[in-house]
Amino acid sequence: MALTVTSLRTVTQYLSFIVFMYGGRFGVKLGSAIPCFACPYVRGCGGQCYLMGLQGVFGVGMSFEAMRGAPLAAALGWLLVFIILVAALGKTWCGWLCPFGLFQDWFSLLRRKLGVRERILTEKTKRALAPIKYILLAYLLVLPPLVTAKILHQDFNLPFCNICPGKSLLPLFEGNPQYLALNLSNAVTLTFSALLLIVTGVMLIGIFFKDRFFCVFCPLLALIHLAKPLTFLRLSKNVDVCTGCGNCRRVCIMDIAEVSAERGGPDVQTGECLDCARCAESCTANGALSLKWLRFNLFSSSRLYASRNLSRNTAGASKNAGSAGKS
Amino acid sequence: MNAQNQRETERLQKTGVRVQNEISRELEALRGRPDHMPGYDYFIDLLAGGIRPDVLEKRAGKPALNLLCVQAPLELIHAAGFLPFKIFSGSYAADALGADGRLPALTCPMLRAVRGIFRLNDSFSGRPWVLPTTCDWIVNLPRMLRMDNPQFAKWFHWLELPHLKDGDAARERWLAEVFGLKKFLEKTTGVKIDRKRLAASVAVYGRAWEALTRLEERRRAGAVPFVWFLIIANSFFLDAPEQWTNAVNALLPALRGNENKNRVFFAGSPVFFPNFKIPLLLEEAGLTVTGDDLCSSGRVFPGGINAEASSEYEMVAVLAGRYHEGCLCPTFADNDRRINSILGDAGNFEGVVFHVLKGCHPYDMESCLLEEPITRRGLKFLRLETDYTAEDGRNLLTRIEAFGQTL
C-alpha cells in the first residue's frame, strides 16, 4: 500500500478503533474527555466519549450543592482536557479517529462494492438538517441538570446516550447486543429504548445510502465545531489558485459545496467538515487546498500527487469491478 | 459540367498533395532537430501515419468515433468500445480549401481546415460524431459541412453544453446530456456501458493523465521543448491511449532539464499540427514555454477523475462534473476562475504569450479580459493574432524578440 493521505487515514482509523474499542483490556485508559465516539457502553473501551462525560457531570443522586468542590474541579479538568484534545487535533477526531466513523465507512465500502448509488443530500436538505446537531447538543446539555434538580425522572439521565446509535451498535463488537433490546423497566426506559431502536434502524439505512449519514446529526461534531477558534488544525484554501473544477466537492464525504464554491477567503472548514483531507488529496491545482497545523503545512494539494493517486485509485476501482486491463 | 467536375477533382488532388507536403516537411524538420530523441519517434510516426480515423482504426483495431472540443467524456466513449478521435487540422492547404466565398471572411482557420480535410477524403464518414455546443463556429459546423455534402448531418450527436458551470441547475442539465450521450453510444454499439467497463476506461485514462502530468513536470524543468510537447499531446488521439501512455512513460526517463531562460506560459487558441509556426518562432526568439493550457496540449483531456464512487450513476456523474466544471474553455459565461490556471503557476514563468487565431472570437475576447490581471501580477503579456499563413512570420518574430527582451 502506497503512502497516501487516505492510506494513512485508514491505518489511523483502524488503530484508533482498536485502541478505543478494546484498549481497556490491555490497560489503556485515556480518560473521559475523548472527542469522538469511544463508547463507554463497550466493555473494555480505551477511553470515554466526552458527550457522556459532559452529561455525566450531572446525574442521578447528585445535587448542585454536592457538586461543588472536587466534582466541579474534576468536571472542569475534563473540560480542559477535551479543549486541549480538540485544539490539538480539531476534527481529525471525526475524520481520522472516531470508531463510529469507521463503522459508517464500512457501510460506504459495502455500498460501493455492491455498486449502489449514493444518495447525495440537496443543498436545501443539508441546510434544513444542519441545525439538528446543535439542537441535540442543547438537548444533552439541558436535560441532565433537570435530572439533578429532580424535575425529570432519573431515567432521563444521559439523555443523548439513550438515543445514540453508538450505544446500540458499537457494543456488538464485543458481542454485546443488550442495547438493541427494549428496556421494559418503565415508560421512560421503554420509550428511550424504542427510540434508540428506531434511530439505529434509520441510521443503518442512512449510512448505507449516504456516506457518514450519522455525522450530519452528531452533536459532538457540533461541539468540536464550536471550539473551532481554539483549534490548531486548519483546512485552508488558496482561492487564487483554484479553477473550480469541483473535484473536492465530488470526493467530499459530507458533500460540502463551499470547498469548491468559495472564492473569497481561505476558510473552507465548514460546520460539516471532518478534516479528512480527501478534498486536498484529489485537488489537481498545486497548493489550492492545504491542511495546516498552526504554521506547519501537513499536506498541500499537488497536481502530480493527485495524478498518481487518482491513477492508482482508478486502477484499484477497475480491479474491484473485475475488469482490470480489459478495455 | 464535366469540365467543372474535373477541375474540382484536380483541385482536390493538388490540395491533397500540398497537405501531405506540409506534413512531410514539418516531420522532416522535427527528425532533423538537434534535440530529437528516439523516444519522440513513436509520436512522429503517429502523425506521419495520417490524422484520420480510419488510420486509427487500423492501428488500434477498434472503431473510431469522431469528436471535436474537450467536453465529451472520453472514458464513456472508450467504455462503449470506441476510440475517441479528435478531428483537427493545422494545415494551411486544407484551410485554403475549406475557405470559399460563402463563409464569413473571418472564419476560424481550424474550422475551415476541418472543412478542407472533409472535402479531401471520406474517411470521416460512416462513423458517429459527437459535438459539444461550444463556440459559434462549432455549433454551425454541421450546417457548414452540409453545404458540401448533405449527408454530413446524419452522423452528429449534439451535447448541449450549459455555458454556466456553477450551480445545481447547470450541473443537472449537463448530467442529463452526458446520460444522453451514454444512451446514444449504447444504441450505436449495442454495448451496455456498465460500471465495470467504465471503471476500466477510467483507469486507462487515469494512467494516461498521470503520464501527461509527469511530462508537464519535466517541461516545467525545461526538459521538454514546447514543440515536442505539442507533438506528444497532438498525437494523443492517434493511437489506443494505453500505447500512447506507454510511449510517454518510456520517454520520461530520457528527458533532462535544461537551462531555463525567458520562461513563458502559453495560452489561447489551440495549436494544431502541422501549423507549429508560433511555437517555432518562440523558440527562435529564445523563449522557453514552461506551461500551457491549450485544449490541444495541456488540456487535451481533463484527467483527474476520481472513480472511487463506483456505482454506474456516480461514475457518470463524476465524469460529467470533471469534464464540465473542470473545463476552462472561454465559451463559458462564469469562467472567472479560469485566470487561476495561469496565475496559479506564476512562479514558473515571467510572461504569458496569448495566441489568438484570427476568427477565434472566444479566445480573442478572453485575451482582453486576461491581460489586466496578468500584468497586475507583474507578468508580461504578449497577444499574438495570426492564422495558418506563413507570411506574417517575420513580423511576429520581431514582436516576440522584443517581448523576450522585456522578460
Side-chain angles (χ1 to χ4, degrees), chain A residues 76-90:
Chain A
L76 290 174
W78 284 124
L79 175 64
L80 189 66
V81 173
F82 174 77
I83 289 172
I84 292 169
L85 291 176
V86 169
L89 296 174

Side-chain angles (χ1 to χ4, degrees), chain B residues 9-265:
Chain B
T9 312
E10 279 169 15
R11 187 186 172 205
L12 291 180
Q13 276 169 353
K14 274 183 195 162
T15 309
V17 171
R18 277 204 289 272
V19 171
Q20 204 46 54
N21 286 346
E22 263 183 88
I23 291 173
S24 308
R25 208 166 44 237
E26 286 299 329
L27 292 174
E28 196 69 18
L30 284 167
R31 286 198 181 94
R33 280 168 64 103
D35 57 0
H36 168 266
M37 287 193 291
Y40 291 133
D41 283 337
Y42 164 81
F43 307 101
I44 294 179
D45 291 344
L46 287 183
L47 289 162
I51 305 159
R52 292 162 49 148
D54 54 335
V55 175
L56 168 65
E57 283 178 346
K58 214 174 284 173
R59 182 178 291 125
K62 274 185 178 182
L65 178 138
N66 295 338
L67 261 187
L68 259 169
C69 297
V70 290
Q71 292 82 6
L74 303 179
E75 291 82 350
L76 203 58
I77 295 164
H78 188 267
F82 279 120
L83 283 175
F85 175 82
K86 192 146 84 180
I87 296 168
F88 68 87
S89 177
S91 159
Y92 173 65
D95 173 17
L97 179 67
D100 67 21
R102 287 179 292 177
L103 294 184
L106 259 187
T107 302
C108 166
M110 154 65 185
L111 270 282
R112 277 196 311 244
V114 165
R115 185 179 171 211
I117 58 171
F118 264 69
R119 291 181 68 183
L120 283 175
N121 68 67
D122 58 0
S123 70
F124 298 94
S125 57
R127 50 178 62 75
W129 193 356
V130 173
L131 261 185
T133 56
T134 49
C135 72
D136 288 353
W137 295 119
I138 294 286
V139 298
N140 283 296
L141 182 67
R143 283 181 294 177
M144 276 163 54
L145 295 178
R146 227 183 295 161
M147 294 193 304
D148 306 315
N149 178 353
Q151 296 300 313
F152 277 143
K154 279 188 177 175
W155 324 310
F156 291 100
H157 176 80
W158 288 113
L159 268 177
E160 191 183 353
L161 185 71
H163 290 276
L164 292 172
K165 296 187 276 187
D166 282 350
D168 288 341
R171 285 202 281 267
E172 274 165 31
R173 273 191 293 137
W174 175 243
L175 185 58
E177 281 297 314
V178 175
F179 271 109
L181 171 65
K182 181 171 176 281
K183 212 168 161 184
F184 166 76
L185 292 167
E186 288 175 338
K187 208 173 142 192
T188 312
T189 57
V191 171
K192 169 86 181 84
I193 304 175
D194 57 14
R195 68 186 183 113
K196 289 180 186 174
R197 296 186 76 94
L198 269 176
S201 295
V202 167
V204 166
Y205 285 93
R207 283 190 288 270
W209 192 60
E210 187 186 353
L212 182 69
T213 307
R214 286 180 191 279
L215 191 70
E216 281 179 333
E217 284 293 316
R218 301 305 300 135
R219 171 169 67 168
R220 206 166 275 139
V224 194
F226 190 33
V227 170
W228 289 116
F229 194 93
L230 282 166
I231 289 289
I232 295 168
N234 269 202
S235 57
F236 180 65
F237 290 97
L238 303 180
D239 199 355
E242 297 92 330
Q243 303 306 324
W244 181 90
T245 307
N246 291 341
V248 175
N249 285 333
L251 173 70
L252 284 169
L255 299 169
R256 303 259 173 268
N258 282 325
E259 193 197 350
N260 239 349
K261 51 178 188 176
N262 292 341
R263 299 173 308 168
V264 292
F265 189 93

